[in-house]
Amino acid sequence: MPSQQHITLPSNNQKPKPKKDDILRKSLSLARQQTIGVSASSVRKGLTQSVNLGEKDPTNHILLDLKILMVMVGEMTEIYFSLWNSATGQFLTEEYQVLLTGQGLPVDLSKLGKLKTLFTDIPSRELASDLFLVIRIIRKGNLTPDPAGSKKSGPGANFRRPYGVAVLPLASKSNGDPILVANREIEHIIKVYVPNQESNFATIHESIVKGNFQGSKTGLFMEIPNSKGVCVGLTLYQGPLDEVVKNNQAQLEGVYQLNRLLIPVLCVDTTA
């Protein structure tokens, strides 16, 4: 998690000195609204200006529905979904985890057809330009699969190894159609790429966005052969979260809500 920012607030002899509790409360409120990229200057500006994102920047929520993983991993699979801002280089949300068997079915069969999550409280300014859906795939099993089918690591091996990453730009269009449409699900098939070295797995999403793909071992990553990718359905909702859930109970009932990651801001009044 990002480290806390210590901000010194200048004194003002012409105005009553604010109380410490009031300063902290205002700063934390601003941080919740502008979660990513909070700087000292933006906090000071926010303390003196009225900020109403509800009027100027409508709140968006994205429903993600995992349809099918069209990649034959052949082992227990962990899939993680999150939103990433390419401008700041930071993840904006918690991760949604899905566990699949070696046959590509949910470990919990009661979840079949119900692998959904709702990304909440996304400002339109981020949705319009720099936002990406990042999907990370981890295989869970033997350390090294043997071509002959034997288990090099022995039976019951439970090693976690990076497998692949898929990235979808949410602001662009696919074949002329928008990626997100309000109140209507749009399905997308996203290609899965593997890094040429496992040490690059943590940043492969950045390489995909930058286009560092050469289709050979000289590139940072390559497309998985004979695979179609990950099929997901995305639905855009707009408005206050409680109203969205209330008005779309059939689609959102029981769906896990992913929160934005908050950067805590600590204000220290050195004039006390």
Side-chain angles (χ1 to χ4, degrees):
M1 294 290 295
S3 59
Q4 292 184 333
Q5 301 181 28
H6 294 268
I7 303 172
T8 301
L9 298 177
S11 60
N12 190 332
N13 295 328
Q14 297 179 353
K15 297 180 180 181
K17 185 170 63 176
K19 298 180 180 180
K20 294 181 181 180
D21 290 344
D22 293 337
I23 297 173
L24 183 58
R25 183 165 50 251
K26 292 179 181 179
S27 302
L28 291 178
S29 176
L30 180 64
R32 283 192 292 268
Q33 296 176 9
Q34 299 179 325
T35 54
I36 298 301
V38 177
S39 62
S41 59
S42 65
V43 172
R44 294 191 188 99
K45 182 178 180 180
L47 289 175
T48 57
Q49 295 182 353
S50 174
V51 178
N52 191 339
L53 297 181
E55 295 180 358
K56 298 182 180 180
D57 194 351
T59 302
N60 302 274
H61 318 280
I62 300 175
L63 175 65
L64 180 144
D65 183 0
L66 174 60
K67 303 297 185 179
I68 187 173
L69 175 64
M70 295 181 287
V71 178
M72 184 53 67
V73 180
E75 294 179 298
M76 291 281 293
T77 307
E78 301 175 0
I79 310 178
Y80 296 89
F81 300 86
S82 58
L83 298 184
W84 179 70
N85 188 313
S86 62
T88 62
Q90 294 175 306
F91 284 94
L92 303 187
T93 65
E94 301 170 338
E95 290 186 313
Y96 174 61
Q97 182 193 56
V98 173
L99 301 178
L100 302 180
T101 65
Q103 291 73 41
L105 297 174
V107 172
D108 182 358
L109 289 178
S110 67
K111 297 292 186 180
L112 190 63
K114 303 177 182 178
L115 300 176
K116 302 178 182 181
T117 190
L118 184 68
F119 296 101
T120 63
D121 300 325
I122 305 168
S124 294
R125 64 179 182 275
E126 293 178 345
L127 193 60
S129 58
D130 306 312
L131 205 59
F132 291 81
L133 172 66
V134 175
I135 305 171
R136 299 188 302 118
I137 303 174
I138 305 290
R139 69 178 182 87
K140 194 174 181 180
N142 297 296
L143 187 60
T144 306
D146 184 75
S150 63
K151 306 292 186 179
K152 283 189 174 183
S153 301
N158 203 28
F159 296 100
R160 298 177 73 254
R161 296 288 298 278
Y163 187 80
V165 172
V167 175
L168 178 68
L170 298 180
S172 66
K173 294 185 177 182
S174 176
N175 298 323
D177 298 324
I179 299 294
L180 294 169
V181 175
N183 303 313
R184 180 161 65 93
E185 182 182 73
I186 304 294
E187 288 192 5
H188 303 279
I189 298 177
I190 314 170
K191 292 182 179 180
V192 178
Y193 298 92
V194 294
N196 284 324
Q197 297 181 357
E198 287 190 358
S199 59
N200 296 329
F201 185 78
T203 58
I204 186 176
H205 59 282
E206 299 180 18
S207 301
I208 295 173
V209 171
K210 294 176 181 178
N212 294 333
F213 173 55
Q214 300 180 21
S216 67
K217 291 185 177 180
T218 59
L220 295 178
F221 61 92
M222 62 179 62
E223 187 177 345
I224 298 178
N226 303 319
S227 70
K228 293 185 178 181
V230 184
C231 181
V232 300
L234 299 177
T235 307
L236 176 67
Y237 296 101
Q238 295 179 312
L241 181 58
D242 55 348
E243 293 184 9
V244 167
V245 174
K246 180 180 179 180
N247 296 333
N248 299 275
Q249 294 184 11
Q251 296 81 11
L252 301 179
E253 184 177 4
V255 173
Y256 182 78
Q257 298 177 8
L258 283 177
N259 298 316
R260 289 180 61 98
L261 296 175
L262 299 180
I263 297 180
V265 180
L266 177 62
C267 293
V268 179
D269 182 11
T270 59
T271 63

